[in-house]
Amino acid sequence: MTEQERRRRRREMERRMRARQTMRGKEKQRGGLFAFRLYVTAVLAGGFLLISFFQTETSEMVCAKVRQVIAYQISAEELDVWKNRAETFFKGAGESLPVFEEKETQETEKRVYQPDAEASP
């Protein structure tokens, strides 16, 4: 084997190695983006689930807004199907979530806040 052949083979091998490294780098980038999206989705879903457990005005507002955004993207029929699936799953597990229960709004009962006479100077 002459010196020129050795150089040519060495250059070919270097090109192949560079091509492999660039392909490996692209694969890692794709997986990283998917993992990041999955992480963000899990954090947001967990946060909304945690918020929905507390029955406050703020949590009701947030849940209503999330439902409204989801309703723009998913048809009402498909949302009802998912709701029914979740209800049957949690009924089978023996647990219930307050998010799926319909509330009767009692607007006639209003709270009246009065200052505490004993605590005031």
Side-chain angles (χ1 to χ4, degrees), residues 4 7-8 13 19 23 26-30 35 37 44 46 48 63 66 71 77 80 83 85 103 105 110 114-115 121:
Q4 289 179 345
R7 290 179 187 165
R8 184 177 51 83
M13 287 180 58
M23 292 301 289
K26 288 180 182 179
E27 290 173 1
K28 288 180 183 177
Q29 289 174 353
R30 289 182 193 158
R37 288 180 178 176
L44 290 176
F48 290 131
C63 290
V66 169
E77 295 82 19
D80 285 337
K83 180 180 173 183
R85 285 183 186 172
K103 288 186 174 182
T105 56
K110 291 187 178 181
Q114 297 178 350

PDB file of all heavy atoms in Angstrom, residues 4 7-8 13 19 23 26-30 35 37 44 46 48 63 66 71 77 80 83 85 103 105 110 114-115 121:
ATOM      1  N   GLN A   4       0.040   7.377  -0.577  1.00  0.00           N
ATOM      2  CA  GLN A   4      -1.165   8.084  -1.040  1.00  0.00           C
ATOM      3  C   GLN A   4      -2.435   7.303  -0.676  1.00  0.00           C
ATOM      4  O   GLN A   4      -3.435   7.888  -0.255  1.00  0.00           O
ATOM      5  CB  GLN A   4      -1.097   8.300  -2.557  1.00  0.00           C
ATOM      6  CG  GLN A   4      -0.076   9.321  -2.981  1.00  0.00           C
ATOM      7  CD  GLN A   4      -0.040   9.478  -4.488  1.00  0.00           C
ATOM      8  OE1 GLN A   4      -0.561   8.644  -5.223  1.00  0.00           O
ATOM      9  NE2 GLN A   4       0.609  10.549  -4.950  1.00  0.00           N
ATOM     10  N   ARG A   7      -3.173   7.786   3.041  1.00  0.00           N
ATOM     11  CA  ARG A   7      -3.748   9.107   3.302  1.00  0.00           C
ATOM     12  C   ARG A   7      -5.210   9.177   2.868  1.00  0.00           C
ATOM     13  O   ARG A   7      -6.056   9.739   3.570  1.00  0.00           O
ATOM     14  CB  ARG A   7      -2.942  10.187   2.580  1.00  0.00           C
ATOM     15  CG  ARG A   7      -1.587  10.409   3.173  1.00  0.00           C
ATOM     16  CD  ARG A   7      -0.832  11.465   2.404  1.00  0.00           C
ATOM     17  NE  ARG A   7       0.539  11.564   2.884  1.00  0.00           N
ATOM     18  CZ  ARG A   7       1.511  12.179   2.237  1.00  0.00           C
ATOM     19  NH1 ARG A   7       1.266  12.748   1.056  1.00  0.00           N
ATOM     20  NH2 ARG A   7       2.714  12.234   2.749  1.00  0.00           N
ATOM     21  N   ARG A   8      -5.495   8.623   1.701  1.00  0.00           N
ATOM     22  CA  ARG A   8      -6.868   8.636   1.199  1.00  0.00           C
ATOM     23  C   ARG A   8      -7.783   7.853   2.118  1.00  0.00           C
ATOM     24  O   ARG A   8      -8.872   8.310   2.468  1.00  0.00           O
ATOM     25  CB  ARG A   8      -6.912   8.040  -0.218  1.00  0.00           C
ATOM     26  CG  ARG A   8      -8.289   8.112  -0.854  1.00  0.00           C
ATOM     27  CD  ARG A   8      -8.274   7.585  -2.278  1.00  0.00           C
ATOM     28  NE  ARG A   8      -7.656   6.275  -2.440  1.00  0.00           N
ATOM     29  CZ  ARG A   8      -8.278   5.106  -2.229  1.00  0.00           C
ATOM     30  NH1 ARG A   8      -9.524   5.081  -1.852  1.00  0.00           N
ATOM     31  NH2 ARG A   8      -7.635   3.964  -2.400  1.00  0.00           N
ATOM     32  N   MET A  13     -11.903   7.625   6.439  1.00  0.00           N
ATOM     33  CA  MET A  13     -12.295   7.220   7.782  1.00  0.00           C
ATOM     34  C   MET A  13     -12.659   8.441   8.640  1.00  0.00           C
ATOM     35  O   MET A  13     -13.637   8.419   9.400  1.00  0.00           O
ATOM     36  CB  MET A  13     -11.184   6.421   8.460  1.00  0.00           C
ATOM     37  CG  MET A  13     -11.031   5.007   7.903  1.00  0.00           C
ATOM     38  SD  MET A  13      -9.723   4.071   8.701  1.00  0.00           S
ATOM     39  CE  MET A  13     -10.223   4.093  10.388  1.00  0.00           C
ATOM     40  N   ALA A  19     -19.290  12.157  10.116  1.00  0.00           N
ATOM     41  CA  ALA A  19     -20.695  11.955   9.748  1.00  0.00           C
ATOM     42  C   ALA A  19     -21.448  11.223  10.860  1.00  0.00           C
ATOM     43  O   ALA A  19     -22.585  11.572  11.196  1.00  0.00           O
ATOM     44  CB  ALA A  19     -20.792  11.172   8.435  1.00  0.00           C
ATOM     45  N   MET A  23     -24.610  12.672  13.146  1.00  0.00           N
ATOM     46  CA  MET A  23     -25.878  11.941  13.234  1.00  0.00           C
ATOM     47  C   MET A  23     -26.231  11.665  14.688  1.00  0.00           C
ATOM     48  O   MET A  23     -27.387  11.771  15.085  1.00  0.00           O
ATOM     49  CB  MET A  23     -25.809  10.630  12.453  1.00  0.00           C
ATOM     50  CG  MET A  23     -25.705  10.814  10.952  1.00  0.00           C
ATOM     51  SD  MET A  23     -27.102  11.722  10.283  1.00  0.00           S
ATOM     52  CE  MET A  23     -28.379  10.512  10.471  1.00  0.00           C
ATOM     53  N   LYS A  26     -27.604  14.826  16.301  1.00  0.00           N
ATOM     54  CA  LYS A  26     -28.978  15.134  15.912  1.00  0.00           C
ATOM     55  C   LYS A  26     -29.958  14.251  16.677  1.00  0.00           C
ATOM     56  O   LYS A  26     -31.032  14.706  17.061  1.00  0.00           O
ATOM     57  CB  LYS A  26     -29.163  14.928  14.415  1.00  0.00           C
ATOM     58  CG  LYS A  26     -28.475  15.984  13.569  1.00  0.00           C
ATOM     59  CD  LYS A  26     -28.682  15.745  12.100  1.00  0.00           C
ATOM     60  CE  LYS A  26     -27.956  16.771  11.266  1.00  0.00           C
ATOM     61  NZ  LYS A  26     -28.130  16.540   9.819  1.00  0.00           N
ATOM     62  N   GLU A  27     -29.619  13.004  16.879  1.00  0.00           N
ATOM     63  CA  GLU A  27     -30.499  12.109  17.629  1.00  0.00           C
ATOM     64  C   GLU A  27     -30.659  12.586  19.068  1.00  0.00           C
ATOM     65  O   GLU A  27     -31.742  12.556  19.624  1.00  0.00           O
ATOM     66  CB  GLU A  27     -29.950  10.682  17.613  1.00  0.00           C
ATOM     67  CG  GLU A  27     -30.029  10.007  16.263  1.00  0.00           C
ATOM     68  CD  GLU A  27     -29.335   8.662  16.245  1.00  0.00           C
ATOM     69  OE1 GLU A  27     -28.815   8.255  17.297  1.00  0.00           O
ATOM     70  OE2 GLU A  27     -29.310   8.028  15.188  1.00  0.00           O
ATOM     71  N   LYS A  28     -29.583  13.047  19.677  1.00  0.00           N
ATOM     72  CA  LYS A  28     -29.644  13.514  21.051  1.00  0.00           C
ATOM     73  C   LYS A  28     -30.490  14.778  21.153  1.00  0.00           C
ATOM     74  O   LYS A  28     -31.226  14.962  22.103  1.00  0.00           O
ATOM     75  CB  LYS A  28     -28.240  13.789  21.580  1.00  0.00           C
ATOM     76  CG  LYS A  28     -27.440  12.539  21.833  1.00  0.00           C
ATOM     77  CD  LYS A  28     -26.067  12.859  22.352  1.00  0.00           C
ATOM     78  CE  LYS A  28     -25.247  11.605  22.534  1.00  0.00           C
ATOM     79  NZ  LYS A  28     -23.882  11.901  22.975  1.00  0.00           N
ATOM     80  N   GLN A  29     -30.413  15.643  20.173  1.00  0.00           N
ATOM     81  CA  GLN A  29     -31.193  16.870  20.201  1.00  0.00           C
ATOM     82  C   GLN A  29     -32.686  16.568  20.102  1.00  0.00           C
ATOM     83  O   GLN A  29     -33.487  17.181  20.776  1.00  0.00           O
ATOM     84  CB  GLN A  29     -30.783  17.783  19.050  1.00  0.00           C
ATOM     85  CG  GLN A  29     -29.409  18.390  19.245  1.00  0.00           C
ATOM     86  CD  GLN A  29     -28.958  19.178  18.045  1.00  0.00           C
ATOM     87  OE1 GLN A  29     -29.615  19.182  17.002  1.00  0.00           O
ATOM     88  NE2 GLN A  29     -27.824  19.840  18.165  1.00  0.00           N
ATOM     89  N   ARG A  30     -33.091  15.648  19.289  1.00  0.00           N
ATOM     90  CA  ARG A  30     -34.503  15.290  19.153  1.00  0.00           C
ATOM     91  C   ARG A  30     -35.039  14.726  20.462  1.00  0.00           C
ATOM     92  O   ARG A  30     -36.103  15.088  20.908  1.00  0.00           O
ATOM     93  CB  ARG A  30     -34.694  14.263  18.038  1.00  0.00           C
ATOM     94  CG  ARG A  30     -34.492  14.824  16.664  1.00  0.00           C
ATOM     95  CD  ARG A  30     -34.747  13.759  15.634  1.00  0.00           C
ATOM     96  NE  ARG A  30     -34.265  14.187  14.339  1.00  0.00           N
ATOM     97  CZ  ARG A  30     -33.967  13.401  13.350  1.00  0.00           C
ATOM     98  NH1 ARG A  30     -34.067  12.102  13.492  1.00  0.00           N
ATOM     99  NH2 ARG A  30     -33.547  13.880  12.202  1.00  0.00           N
ATOM    100  N   ALA A  35     -38.122  15.200  25.581  1.00  0.00           N
ATOM    101  CA  ALA A  35     -38.080  15.082  27.041  1.00  0.00           C
ATOM    102  C   ALA A  35     -38.467  16.405  27.699  1.00  0.00           C
ATOM    103  O   ALA A  35     -39.191  16.419  28.697  1.00  0.00           O
ATOM    104  CB  ALA A  35     -36.689  14.644  27.494  1.00  0.00           C
ATOM    105  N   ARG A  37     -40.436  18.775  26.419  1.00  0.00           N
ATOM    106  CA  ARG A  37     -41.882  18.959  26.235  1.00  0.00           C
ATOM    107  C   ARG A  37     -42.672  18.064  27.178  1.00  0.00           C
ATOM    108  O   ARG A  37     -43.676  18.486  27.744  1.00  0.00           O
ATOM    109  CB  ARG A  37     -42.273  18.653  24.792  1.00  0.00           C
ATOM    110  CG  ARG A  37     -41.820  19.699  23.825  1.00  0.00           C
ATOM    111  CD  ARG A  37     -42.237  19.344  22.427  1.00  0.00           C
ATOM    112  NE  ARG A  37     -41.845  20.362  21.482  1.00  0.00           N
ATOM    113  CZ  ARG A  37     -42.011  20.266  20.183  1.00  0.00           C
ATOM    114  NH1 ARG A  37     -42.573  19.189  19.679  1.00  0.00           N
ATOM    115  NH2 ARG A  37     -41.644  21.238  19.392  1.00  0.00           N
ATOM    116  N   LEU A  44     -47.174  21.109  34.213  1.00  0.00           N
ATOM    117  CA  LEU A  44     -48.412  21.882  34.092  1.00  0.00           C
ATOM    118  C   LEU A  44     -49.630  21.061  34.492  1.00  0.00           C
ATOM    119  O   LEU A  44     -50.504  21.543  35.223  1.00  0.00           O
ATOM    120  CB  LEU A  44     -48.569  22.401  32.664  1.00  0.00           C
ATOM    121  CG  LEU A  44     -47.589  23.496  32.252  1.00  0.00           C
ATOM    122  CD1 LEU A  44     -47.783  23.845  30.785  1.00  0.00           C
ATOM    123  CD2 LEU A  44     -47.764  24.724  33.114  1.00  0.00           C
ATOM    124  N   GLY A  46     -49.742  18.454  36.479  1.00  0.00           N
ATOM    125  CA  GLY A  46     -49.688  18.244  37.922  1.00  0.00           C
ATOM    126  C   GLY A  46     -50.083  19.494  38.695  1.00  0.00           C
ATOM    127  O   GLY A  46     -50.789  19.419  39.708  1.00  0.00           O
ATOM    128  N   PHE A  48     -52.114  21.923  37.643  1.00  0.00           N
ATOM    129  CA  PHE A  48     -53.560  22.123  37.520  1.00  0.00           C
ATOM    130  C   PHE A  48     -54.336  21.107  38.346  1.00  0.00           C
ATOM    131  O   PHE A  48     -55.368  21.430  38.930  1.00  0.00           O
ATOM    132  CB  PHE A  48     -53.997  22.062  36.055  1.00  0.00           C
ATOM    133  CG  PHE A  48     -53.518  23.241  35.252  1.00  0.00           C
ATOM    134  CD1 PHE A  48     -52.894  23.049  34.039  1.00  0.00           C
ATOM    135  CD2 PHE A  48     -53.675  24.536  35.716  1.00  0.00           C
ATOM    136  CE1 PHE A  48     -52.442  24.129  33.293  1.00  0.00           C
ATOM    137  CE2 PHE A  48     -53.218  25.622  34.984  1.00  0.00           C
ATOM    138  CZ  PHE A  48     -52.607  25.419  33.773  1.00  0.00           C
ATOM    139  N   CYS A  63     -59.361  26.785  36.998  1.00  0.00           N
ATOM    140  CA  CYS A  63     -59.935  25.583  36.388  1.00  0.00           C
ATOM    141  C   CYS A  63     -60.902  25.941  35.275  1.00  0.00           C
ATOM    142  O   CYS A  63     -60.933  25.288  34.230  1.00  0.00           O
ATOM    143  CB  CYS A  63     -60.626  24.731  37.442  1.00  0.00           C
ATOM    144  SG  CYS A  63     -59.474  23.956  38.586  1.00  0.00           S
ATOM    145  N   VAL A  66     -58.824  26.980  32.268  1.00  0.00           N
ATOM    146  CA  VAL A  66     -58.209  25.817  31.623  1.00  0.00           C
ATOM    147  C   VAL A  66     -59.265  25.043  30.822  1.00  0.00           C
ATOM    148  O   VAL A  66     -59.023  24.621  29.697  1.00  0.00           O
ATOM    149  CB  VAL A  66     -57.518  24.911  32.665  1.00  0.00           C
ATOM    150  CG1 VAL A  66     -57.105  23.588  32.056  1.00  0.00           C
ATOM    151  CG2 VAL A  66     -56.313  25.618  33.242  1.00  0.00           C
ATOM    152  N   ALA A  71     -61.579  23.520  25.734  1.00  0.00           N
ATOM    153  CA  ALA A  71     -62.797  23.421  24.934  1.00  0.00           C
ATOM    154  C   ALA A  71     -62.596  24.019  23.549  1.00  0.00           C
ATOM    155  O   ALA A  71     -63.229  23.578  22.581  1.00  0.00           O
ATOM    156  CB  ALA A  71     -63.946  24.122  25.640  1.00  0.00           C
ATOM    157  N   GLU A  77     -68.044  16.853  22.604  1.00  0.00           N
ATOM    158  CA  GLU A  77     -68.332  15.418  22.665  1.00  0.00           C
ATOM    159  C   GLU A  77     -67.114  14.631  23.119  1.00  0.00           C
ATOM    160  O   GLU A  77     -67.205  13.731  23.954  1.00  0.00           O
ATOM    161  CB  GLU A  77     -68.813  14.895  21.299  1.00  0.00           C
ATOM    162  CG  GLU A  77     -70.138  15.471  20.842  1.00  0.00           C
ATOM    163  CD  GLU A  77     -70.012  16.838  20.187  1.00  0.00           C
ATOM    164  OE1 GLU A  77     -68.889  17.200  19.760  1.00  0.00           O
ATOM    165  OE2 GLU A  77     -71.029  17.547  20.135  1.00  0.00           O
ATOM    166  N   ASP A  80     -66.567  15.153  26.789  1.00  0.00           N
ATOM    167  CA  ASP A  80     -67.498  14.360  27.587  1.00  0.00           C
ATOM    168  C   ASP A  80     -67.059  12.900  27.668  1.00  0.00           C
ATOM    169  O   ASP A  80     -67.199  12.260  28.711  1.00  0.00           O
ATOM    170  CB  ASP A  80     -68.919  14.445  27.011  1.00  0.00           C
ATOM    171  CG  ASP A  80     -69.567  15.787  27.311  1.00  0.00           C
ATOM    172  OD1 ASP A  80     -69.142  16.446  28.286  1.00  0.00           O
ATOM    173  OD2 ASP A  80     -70.487  16.175  26.569  1.00  0.00           O
ATOM    174  N   LYS A  83     -64.281  12.767  30.115  1.00  0.00           N
ATOM    175  CA  LYS A  83     -64.817  12.983  31.455  1.00  0.00           C
ATOM    176  C   LYS A  83     -65.468  11.709  31.982  1.00  0.00           C
ATOM    177  O   LYS A  83     -65.261  11.313  33.133  1.00  0.00           O
ATOM    178  CB  LYS A  83     -65.835  14.123  31.423  1.00  0.00           C
ATOM    179  CG  LYS A  83     -66.448  14.438  32.757  1.00  0.00           C
ATOM    180  CD  LYS A  83     -67.448  15.575  32.620  1.00  0.00           C
ATOM    181  CE  LYS A  83     -68.194  15.801  33.909  1.00  0.00           C
ATOM    182  NZ  LYS A  83     -69.209  16.845  33.783  1.00  0.00           N
ATOM    183  N   ARG A  85     -64.819   8.632  31.060  1.00  0.00           N
ATOM    184  CA  ARG A  85     -63.758   7.648  31.318  1.00  0.00           C
ATOM    185  C   ARG A  85     -63.098   7.902  32.667  1.00  0.00           C
ATOM    186  O   ARG A  85     -62.841   6.972  33.432  1.00  0.00           O
ATOM    187  CB  ARG A  85     -62.693   7.704  30.224  1.00  0.00           C
ATOM    188  CG  ARG A  85     -63.106   7.075  28.935  1.00  0.00           C
ATOM    189  CD  ARG A  85     -61.964   7.122  27.945  1.00  0.00           C
ATOM    190  NE  ARG A  85     -62.369   6.645  26.645  1.00  0.00           N
ATOM    191  CZ  ARG A  85     -61.618   6.719  25.562  1.00  0.00           C
ATOM    192  NH1 ARG A  85     -60.419   7.257  25.627  1.00  0.00           N
ATOM    193  NH2 ARG A  85     -62.058   6.264  24.415  1.00  0.00           N
ATOM    194  N   LYS A 103     -71.552  21.704  40.585  1.00  0.00           N
ATOM    195  CA  LYS A 103     -71.919  22.449  41.776  1.00  0.00           C
ATOM    196  C   LYS A 103     -73.170  23.274  41.493  1.00  0.00           C
ATOM    197  O   LYS A 103     -73.342  23.794  40.391  1.00  0.00           O
ATOM    198  CB  LYS A 103     -70.806  23.396  42.192  1.00  0.00           C
ATOM    199  CG  LYS A 103     -69.617  22.727  42.774  1.00  0.00           C
ATOM    200  CD  LYS A 103     -68.673  23.787  43.279  1.00  0.00           C
ATOM    201  CE  LYS A 103     -67.519  23.161  44.002  1.00  0.00           C
ATOM    202  NZ  LYS A 103     -66.620  24.174  44.526  1.00  0.00           N
ATOM    203  N   THR A 105     -74.857  26.614  42.201  1.00  0.00           N
ATOM    204  CA  THR A 105     -74.440  27.921  42.689  1.00  0.00           C
ATOM    205  C   THR A 105     -75.558  28.521  43.520  1.00  0.00           C
ATOM    206  O   THR A 105     -76.717  28.555  43.110  1.00  0.00           O
ATOM    207  CB  THR A 105     -74.104  28.859  41.514  1.00  0.00           C
ATOM    208  OG1 THR A 105     -75.235  28.946  40.656  1.00  0.00           O
ATOM    209  CG2 THR A 105     -72.918  28.336  40.733  1.00  0.00           C
ATOM    210  N   LYS A 110     -75.264  35.376  50.506  1.00  0.00           N
ATOM    211  CA  LYS A 110     -74.072  36.208  50.390  1.00  0.00           C
ATOM    212  C   LYS A 110     -73.451  36.353  51.767  1.00  0.00           C
ATOM    213  O   LYS A 110     -74.147  36.510  52.768  1.00  0.00           O
ATOM    214  CB  LYS A 110     -74.426  37.587  49.836  1.00  0.00           C
ATOM    215  CG  LYS A 110     -74.863  37.550  48.397  1.00  0.00           C
ATOM    216  CD  LYS A 110     -75.040  38.936  47.860  1.00  0.00           C
ATOM    217  CE  LYS A 110     -75.425  38.885  46.390  1.00  0.00           C
ATOM    218  NZ  LYS A 110     -75.591  40.224  45.838  1.00  0.00           N
ATOM    219  N   GLN A 114     -68.178  41.396  58.977  1.00  0.00           N
ATOM    220  CA  GLN A 114     -68.279  42.464  59.961  1.00  0.00           C
ATOM    221  C   GLN A 114     -67.024  42.446  60.820  1.00  0.00           C
ATOM    222  O   GLN A 114     -66.483  41.392  61.123  1.00  0.00           O
ATOM    223  CB  GLN A 114     -69.520  42.257  60.852  1.00  0.00           C
ATOM    224  CG  GLN A 114     -70.805  42.321  60.059  1.00  0.00           C
ATOM    225  CD  GLN A 114     -72.022  42.065  60.942  1.00  0.00           C
ATOM    226  OE1 GLN A 114     -71.890  41.675  62.085  1.00  0.00           O
ATOM    227  NE2 GLN A 114     -73.182  42.314  60.377  1.00  0.00           N
ATOM    228  N   PRO A 115     -66.579  43.610  61.226  1.00  0.00           N
ATOM    229  CA  PRO A 115     -65.369  43.662  62.058  1.00  0.00           C
ATOM    230  C   PRO A 115     -65.645  43.083  63.441  1.00  0.00           C
ATOM    231  O   PRO A 115     -66.757  43.135  63.957  1.00  0.00           O
ATOM    232  CB  PRO A 115     -65.041  45.142  62.130  1.00  0.00           C
ATOM    233  CG  PRO A 115     -66.320  45.844  61.838  1.00  0.00           C
ATOM    234  CD  PRO A 115     -67.101  44.938  60.920  1.00  0.00           C
ATOM    235  N   PRO A 121     -59.664  48.510  69.064  1.00  0.00           N
ATOM    236  CA  PRO A 121     -59.319  49.297  70.249  1.00  0.00           C
ATOM    237  C   PRO A 121     -60.443  50.194  70.730  1.00  0.00           C
ATOM    238  O   PRO A 121     -61.356  50.540  70.220  1.00  0.00           O
ATOM    239  CB  PRO A 121     -58.135  50.136  69.799  1.00  0.00           C
ATOM    240  CG  PRO A 121     -58.119  50.122  68.340  1.00  0.00           C
ATOM    241  CD  PRO A 121     -58.912  48.932  67.917  1.00  0.00           C
TER     242      PRO A 121
END
